[in-house]
Amino acid sequence: MTSSYTGNRQEIQWKNVGSRKLKDTIANGLSYVVLGMMVVILLSIFIYILDSGASHITLTMLITPGNTATGGILNAIVGTWELVGMGLLFSLPPSVLGALYVVNGRSNGTLSLVARLFTDVLTSVPSIVIGLFAFIVLVQRLDMGYSLIAGGLALAVMMLPYLMRIIEISFRNIPKEQIENAYALGADDISVASRIYLPQAKVGMLSGILLAVSIAAGETAQLLYSAGWNNNYATGFLHSGVGYLTYVVWNGINYPTTYSHYLAFVSAMILILSVTGMIAISKYIGRRQ
Amino acid sequence: MEEKVEKIIEIKELKVETKNKVILDGVDLNIFKNSVNTIVGPSGSGKSTLLRSLNRLLDMDPSMDVSGDVIFEKRNIVDIDPVELRREVGLVFQKPNPFPMSVYDNVAFGLRIQGKKLKKDEMDKMINQALEDADLIEELGGNLKQGGTSLSGGQQQRLCIARALVLRPKVLMFDEPTSALDPIAKGKIVDLIRALKQKYTVILVTHDMNLTRKVSDYTNLIYEGKFVAKGTGSEFFESEIEEVRDFLAEAD
């Protein structure tokens, strides 16, 4: 290209090019090694489960209920989604409201801090402890019995901190000036929440929901104590145990028949595929935005 | 001159402080109707805080302690519902920040949140008028469905002005409206502010002395939370007050 530029153009002197390039190569190499390790671990689990599951899956398994040793796993598939749905129902509204509260920062900060602290602690409470608590308080004291409601609440306790954190982050991604400007145009809190926060955080909220759902779908410990188990479908919201896939994995492997092992692997495969599917969907939606 | 022009806002002994800092130290100021009232001053002198106290946006920040009186059309603003006050006293921000929705929806935002059911053609009319007043309608070529964020910086800023104008405010406040814009976009805002004062009262916060020279009817210099000079546009530039001379020397 010809240029009319006639200024004093100096050659830029780069320093230590050699050693910087070397450092770059080493860092890059390490990243690839770590990435490779993760891919190998993930792929081997994936292939093992898919191979063991897919080779033994039958239509009867998918369309009949069963007791983890005989019959199918339809009751567990249906029950898993019922429980997760119930958990979402209990955890989503408080997560959204909590995130709005923390983000809006209208309080003097102490309450937001306490809310944040509690959700953080909640993330690290072992699920068996949540299950035990649910058993004593919900199943026994409040006389819910092993049930959808008790199981849903136990899952909700675990989903809430994840949901709230991710929703909070997607709220924080909205430029502060935009929120301020909405108020300056005469919007009240409800309009700002419904017209600015919620529509703009849609994608973030959806990926939060999908993540929380995939975590909840893979939970076992707190459900053992709250949802119990059911060889058939739950007949109501209270006093009726619910089947779920992780129970089939856990119990099926312990049971000394080949068929029960097949049931366990098929359940594990369905879980892995649905979780992967959900994460893929959330990424796809995120990218399309 | 001051006697002839009607005051629309009287600020009396307005003090804004946080726990460890006084931002506005008991300031008094009159804002005159259908004029461009400019507040100049160095960064951190309290200009933006002053604007945000006039439409009670500061109420939302619990760390700010506000005292003193602001009288807007004979009423103390603490007796006015903040939502109503903010429609009457509009604010345009430094950085253009259209909502991620169409041009039409951006301008309609302030109308829709009022909950009043407006007829479609009535709404269309108001939105077109606001975009015309903000000198944007021609450039859009009638396409109000395009995204507000896809416009150029200067157009975005005028969209934000239209968004405030559609509410028919009595006062329009600008918080450094040109500092994020290129010279051509800046020029358009200058023309616009001049035109707007026919219908509205303008309060302009800026440290752009060029802009001040071009549009200001009343110029007030704020320094460390206090007004050190008040006067008409021409008086200001001739002022012998030391702070004014210093500020002008720094700014140019």
Side-chain angles (χ1 to χ4, degrees), chain A residues 7 26-27 50 101 123 131-133 145 176 200 232 247 251 256 263 280:
Chain A
I26 293 173
L50 286 189
Y101 184 81
T123 324
L132 202 59
F133 179 78
K176 228 185 125 214
Q200 286 198 50
N232 217 312
Y247 184 91
N251 215 38
L263 285 178

Side-chain angles (χ1 to χ4, degrees), chain B residues 100-225:
Chain B
M101 31 178 113
S102 72
V103 168
Y104 186 95
D105 289 338
N106 260 287
V107 184
F109 182 89
L111 297 171
R112 288 189 175 135
I113 52 174
Q114 293 183 24
K116 271 190 285 183
K117 278 271 169 283
L118 282 170
K119 276 193 203 123
K120 174 92 174 85
D121 54 330
E122 204 178 336
M123 183 110 117
D124 288 354
K125 224 176 114 192
M126 290 177 83
I127 286 168
N128 273 297
Q129 184 63 48
L131 286 166
E132 201 182 312
D133 288 350
D135 192 25
L136 190 59
I137 196 91
E138 269 177 41
E139 283 171 50
L140 293 175
N143 179 8
L144 305 190
K145 288 213 177 92
Q146 59 186 304
T149 46
S150 66
L151 303 179
S152 75
Q155 290 173 332
Q156 287 188 15
Q157 191 61 300
R158 277 175 284 145
L159 174 60
C160 294
I161 294 172
R163 196 163 64 177
L165 287 179
V166 79
L167 299 171
R168 310 258 163 88
K170 292 182 175 140
V171 178
L172 198 57
M173 308 192 286
F174 292 89
D175 188 357
E176 301 187 16
T178 59
S179 63
L181 303 180
D182 64 74
I184 293 169
K186 217 180 240 187
K188 287 194 172 162
I189 301 280
V190 170
D191 295 341
L192 185 54
I193 290 176
R194 276 199 191 129
L196 285 174
K197 76 169 182 186
Q198 311 302 327
K199 288 201 222 170
Y200 307 91
T201 300
V202 175
I203 307 178
L204 172 66
V205 153
T206 184
H207 45 222
D208 181 343
M209 295 320 293
N210 234 332
L211 177 64
T212 311
R213 271 200 190 90
K214 283 178 183 150
V215 301
S216 183
D217 296 314
Y218 298 95
T219 308
N220 310 281
L221 174 66
I222 191 168
Y223 190 71
E224 291 185 347

Side-chain angles (χ1 to χ4, degrees), chain A residues 104-109 175-189 191-192 195-196 200, chain B residues 52 55 57 59-60 62 83 86-87 89 91 93 95 97-101 109-110 112-113 160 163-164 167:
Chain A
N104 223 324
R106 197 78 54 79
S107 80
N108 54 12
K176 228 185 125 214
E177 297 84 22
Q178 236 177 67
I179 309 288
E180 218 188 357
N181 208 334
Y183 280 110
L185 288 167
D188 53 14
D189 289 338
S191 309
V192 172
R195 290 176 187 270
I196 305 287
Q200 286 198 50
Chain B
R52 280 165 175 72
N55 68 354
L57 215 53
D59 289 14
M60 317 225 310
V83 167
R86 287 171 199 157
R87 281 177 200 144
V89 182
L91 173 59
F93 291 71
K95 233 175 75 190
N97 54 357
F99 302 130
M101 31 178 113
F109 182 89
R112 288 189 175 135
I113 52 174
C160 294
R163 196 163 64 177
L167 299 171

